[in-house]
Structure formats: structure tokens, C-alpha cells
Amino acid sequence: MKAPEPSRMSPEKPGARMPERSVPTVVHLLVEAAGAAPQAEALVSGGRRLRYGETLSCAAGFARELESLGARGGRVATLLGNSIEACVAAYGALAAGAQHVPLNPLYTARELDLILRDAAPRVLVVDAALEASAAPLARAAGVARVIAVGAGARLLDAWRGDGLAPGNLPAREDLALLQYTGGTTGRPKGVDLAHAAIATNVAQREGLLPTRAGERILCMMPVSHSYGMAMGLFLAAWCGGTLVLLPRYTPEDVLAAVEKERITIFPGSPTVFTGLLAHPRFAGTDWRSVHTCYSGAAALPEQTLKRWREAVGAPVYEGYGQTEAGPVLSFNPVHGVVKPGSVGVPVPGTEIEIVDLESGTRVLDAGERGEIRARGPQLMRGYRNLPQETAQALRGGWLYTGDIGEFDAEGTLYIRDRKKDMLIVGGYNVYPRELEEVLVMHPAVLEAAVVGVKDDYRGELPVAYAVLRPGASAEGGELLEHCRANLARYKLPARIRIVAALPKTSVSKTDKQALRQWAAGDAA
């Protein structure tokens, strides 16, 4: 079934229309917010606070430095946790006419090496605490300049003075972001997104989830991630609101920030909502300032949604997206029917269809399950340096998501499964193929396979099975330490079981279905 087009949505759903406001790029958003209210609070991180006029001045100053280093037309990578520096560096890179490459500070040396060589940034902006490990990798990858920032180094809130010259602002057609996502081949894929795509997507989301001027938004998810960037950094600039940054998610810090900073918008994930509801301080927290909560990554159980609404007094609006889609494709609307378990309706200007799994061309009816494909102005240009993967994902103007879903009779979208071999662990995409390749890097491992098991807190957990080489010996703990040295923490297997052989299909492929049954039995 084809979802209703925005122009055909009924008058009862006013939030389904694109806002009249049109902004060419997210840098223009920052310029507008600073011009409208330069004294309004923009960024809060620990004891540091920055107003909009100051944020623009700092971003402009850093942009000029990056331009002097030859960044315009190239790429600037950042390896930063949530901080004033991460936000200023992001806007500075974009304002300098560079493509911003946000990297997760949890990445290991192996992961960083792969991405830096593929992205080929001109400059790497790195947290001072990570400089010693990241700088040699950057030099080996040909990065011309490494800039260390943060505690113990430079702080990026030092500039005061001129803003951005209108003639120097990036153009809509320029590349804005190169965001890396895991790959089914085990190699990270860099998603090329233009300024027009991400700026349009901010407005599209606003069409279903309109904000109020001066919102106070809590950002506990990494701003290096597409969700944290779209639903945190860029959302705040759109409404001239305050982005309250936490360096990482801890229940205690979240609950304290909600009260102290009088948070109004609370973006989270199933892991966050489930964990907070179980925390002993949750019931005593003052949530009265919060009017809207967002969730993505995986569906929340209806009982969790109900308990949250009763305790907090604010609804959780669930949505769906991908890095390749700028990233938002659908959301339950503020003005409309919110259906628990669904991911809502397409954002304005976006078409979503359910197609058959075999050809990907036959559009299915309501209630039929198939692959979700999407078409709209927020889609990626393609994967960097991966023409075959790009051609597979983008066909005939459609993005083939690899997710299985269905529409109900009213055009509401439900995610039912995944076509591609991918897990969602605590809101992060984890690809079993990458874990398997890391395991077989160990000299004792002949073969490995990874599957996911359900987990009430993190959604899914990876479970690994390894076959050792003849005459070799290793224990699960040793293999886990090997994984720890080569994978970000959120990708680590929950357990590793050493087996004599992996189950195979009739054509000698690893039987993942049988392994899932093994994993379910192990967990019982």
C-alpha cells in the first residue's frame, strides 16, 4: 500500500503539512536563531553555557581557521563526545564549506583506521583525551592536521566577534555530512548527505512534531549519531531552543538534568525509557516541564508507553528512520492518531511503499508485509566509494531500507522485521558480519557466527559462536578480550560460546535460524 501523500492528508491532521518556513541549510538555521535572539541560551554542557550570538561567533571563528587549513570543499572529521566543542566544531565545519564527518569516540583503533582511510579528511578535530591514540592513525591515513580540543587543550568557545558573511554560507547542493553506518559486508559505509537533505528533513519532522520557541532539549544520545544530531543539535537551532548536553547516558544524570534544566523535550530510546522507569529515583523526579518525548530505534511495548504517560504526563511519539534518509522517514503525529507499536505516518514530502521481497517492484496492499522503500528530498546521495552498494540501495529514485513492514488500512506504518542481517543494540545498529570478521582475526578461531537475542533492556544482544582451529585452544573470555580491543563497547557479544561445529543449511551456509534457537535455549 502506498502511504497517503501529504497533500492528500485530511484537514484533521494539520501537523502533517510542511511548515511555511524554508531554510537552505542548517548553518542558516544557526544564523537565523542568533539574529532573532542573540542572548538566548543555546548550549549547556556541565557548568559551561553559550548564548546564540556567542555560538555563532565561535562557529564562525572556527570556520575561518578550518578554511585556512584548506578544508573548504573537503572533509573535516570530529572525534568528540557530547560537549560545547562537538557542537561548535560541527557548525564550524559546515560553515567552512567542508563536509562534516562525525565519528563515534567509542570506536576502536581498527574501526577508526578503516573510516579515516575511506573518508580522507583534511582535518581531524579530536578530544584531547583521545589525541594520543587517534593522532597516529590520522597521520597514517594522510590527515594533514589534527586539532586537539576540550579539557587540557583548546576550548572552542573562545571566539568573539564577527559572524558569518552571507556570501560564505554553504549552498543547498553542497555535501554537508558523511555519516558512517555499519555494513553487512563488515566494512563501515559512509553516507553522503547534502545540505538540502538535512535542512529539509528538519522541516519535515517539524510538520508532524511542531516545536515551540525556546524549547529546552535534553541530549543524552551522541551528537556524533544521526539521531542525536537531527533530534538534538539541529532541532534546537530550528526552534531557537537550548540544547542541554550530557556526556553520556546515566539514569542519575538524566533525572537530575530534567529537574535542574527544566527540560521540555525529551528524546530517548527504548533502552532509556525502560531503564528510567525501573530506577528508584524516577518516581520522585519532577517531570512537569516535559511536554513531549521522542523514541526511535525499536518499538516500545504498549505497557511501557502507558506507564510512562501516566508517570510523566507527556506522551512518547515513536518514529522511524535511517542515516541514509537524513534520517527521519516517519513519526506518530502530535496532531493525529498515535498508535502504540507503530512508527506513525510519513513525514511531509515523503512517499513510503511496501513492496515484495523478490523483485522489490510490486507494491503490496494494506496488511501485507514486505520491504519498506522510501522516496523524498531527504535521501542520501549514495555511499562514499561504494558504487555497487549505492546502486543496490537506491533504485529508481527509491531508497530500499532493508526493513520489513506493513501499513494498516489507515496508512499507519509498522516495522515487523529486518531483511538485512542487523541487530539494534541499545539504539545502535550492530552488524553480525563485522563481529564475525573480528572473531576470525583471532589466530585460534577457524569460523564464527553471530546472532541476536531479545533483551528487555537493550532491545537485542549479540551472541557469538566460534569454532577453533584444529589443535588450537582458547576460552570465551580470551575471545571477548580480543573483541574488546577491536570493537566499540556497544558491539561486544553478550556471550561467546565455543562449539565443535556451526549448523549448516543444505547448501553449506551457516544456519542462522538454528543458531537463534541455540541462543534462545542458552538464555533460558
Side-chain angles (χ1 to χ4, degrees), residues 104-108 111 115 180-182 222 224-225 423-431 434-435 458 460-462 487-494:
N104 191 331
L106 296 177
Y107 284 154
T108 65
E111 294 165 313
I115 292 174
Y180 279 84
T181 183
S224 59
H225 190 276
L423 313 178
I424 298 181
V425 180
Y428 286 101
N429 292 353
V430 174
Y431 290 82
E434 183 180 13
L435 277 67
R458 301 183 72 192
E460 290 177 288
L461 292 174
L487 294 166
R489 190 166 59 247
Y490 64 86
K491 300 178 185 178
L492 295 177

Side-chain angles (χ1 to χ4, degrees), residues 436 439-440 444-449 465-469 497 499-504 508-510:
E436 292 161 0
L439 280 166
V440 298
V445 176
L446 174 67
E447 192 176 14
Y465 293 86
V467 178
L468 301 183
R469 295 182 181 278
R497 180 178 163 192
V499 295
L502 296 176
K504 303 290 184 179
S508 298
K509 285 188 174 183
T510 299

Side-chain angles (χ1 to χ4, degrees), residues 51-367:
R51 298 168 177 168
Y52 266 99
E54 295 169 334
T55 302
L56 177 60
S57 178
C58 294
F62 194 49
R64 285 192 288 273
E65 179 175 342
L66 292 173
E67 278 197 84
S68 73
L69 297 174
R72 182 167 291 274
R75 283 161 297 286
V76 171
T78 57
L79 186 63
L80 303 167
N82 284 6
S83 59
I84 297 286
E85 278 65 43
C87 300
V88 171
Y91 278 122
L94 295 172
Q99 187 179 16
H100 178 213
V101 189
L103 304 177
N104 191 331
L106 296 177
Y107 284 154
T108 65
R110 183 192 68 87
E111 294 165 313
L112 279 175
D113 182 63
L114 286 170
I115 292 174
L116 288 172
R117 290 181 185 278
D118 184 66
R122 177 76 180 171
V123 179
L124 172 66
V125 186
V126 61
D127 190 298
L130 300 173
E131 182 186 14
S133 57
L137 295 171
R139 285 193 290 269
V143 178
R145 182 70 179 272
V146 176
I147 301 175
V149 300
R154 295 171 52 190
L155 300 180
L156 294 186
D157 59 0
W159 280 280
R160 299 291 184 272
D162 296 337
L164 294 167
N168 252 4
L169 295 179
R172 287 176 55 84
E173 62 272 13
D174 294 341
L175 286 174
L177 292 174
L178 178 59
Q179 289 187 301
Y180 279 84
T181 183
T184 52
T185 62
R187 171 187 170 181
K189 295 184 293 188
V191 176
D192 275 325
L193 289 162
H195 277 282
I198 60 174
T200 299
N201 200 227
V202 174
Q204 288 175 310
R205 184 225 54 247
E206 192 74 12
L208 294 181
L209 301 166
T211 52
R212 308 168 188 176
E215 300 279 16
R216 297 186 67 81
I217 303 155
L218 187 63
C219 188
M220 70 195 87
M221 70 289 291
V223 290
S224 59
H225 190 276
S226 59
Y227 184 31
M229 195 168 283
M231 304 302 285
L233 185 62
F234 300 152
L235 171 63
W238 173 275
C239 64
T242 303
L243 187 68
V244 179
L245 295 147
L246 295 181
R248 66 192 61 83
Y249 166 71
T250 67
E252 295 79 11
D253 289 346
V254 167
L255 296 173
V258 166
E259 284 192 341
K260 179 184 177 183
E261 298 294 341
R262 308 307 299 157
I263 297 301
T264 62
I265 291 182
F266 188 89
S269 68
T271 298
V272 168
F273 293 111
T274 302
L276 289 176
L277 281 168
H279 196 274
R281 284 184 51 195
F282 176 79
T285 300
D286 183 359
W287 289 87
R288 286 176 295 178
S289 61
V290 175
H291 62 74
T292 299
C293 307
Y294 306 141
S295 184
L300 273 166
E302 188 169 351
Q303 188 60 30
T304 302
L305 289 168
K306 182 180 178 183
R307 287 179 59 207
W308 184 272
R309 179 66 182 262
E310 290 172 350
V312 172
V316 179
Y317 296 99
E318 295 187 85
Y320 166 64
Q322 293 188 337
T323 303
E324 292 89 337
V328 181
L329 285 170
S330 72
F331 248 106
N332 275 281
V334 169
H335 302 292
V337 178
V338 175
K339 298 184 179 182
S342 81
V343 293
V345 297
V347 295
T350 299
E351 297 175 78
I352 296 178
E353 293 181 342
I354 308 298
V355 295
D356 70 292
L357 298 178
E358 292 73 30
S359 70
T361 58
R362 182 169 62 86
V363 180
L364 304 182
D365 293 328

Side-chain angles (χ1 to χ4, degrees), residues 446-495:
L446 174 67
E447 192 176 14
V450 174
V451 294
V453 294
K454 296 293 183 185
D455 181 75
D456 290 340
Y457 180 56
R458 301 183 72 192
E460 290 177 288
L461 292 174
V463 175
Y465 293 86
V467 178
L468 301 183
R469 295 182 181 278
S473 63
E475 295 182 351
E478 178 185 343
L479 298 183
L480 182 58
E481 285 304 310
H482 168 73
C483 290
R484 202 184 305 277
N486 289 282
L487 294 166
R489 190 166 59 247
Y490 64 86
K491 300 178 185 178
L492 295 177
R495 57 183 182 270

Side-chain angles (χ1 to χ4, degrees), residues 24-57:
T25 78
V26 293
V27 179
H28 288 77
L29 278 182
L30 179 61
V31 171
E32 284 189 6
Q39 298 304 310
E41 196 171 60
L43 301 172
V44 175
S45 180
R48 300 167 67 195
R49 294 172 184 266
L50 221 56
R51 298 168 177 168
Y52 266 99
E54 295 169 334
T55 302
L56 177 60
S57 178

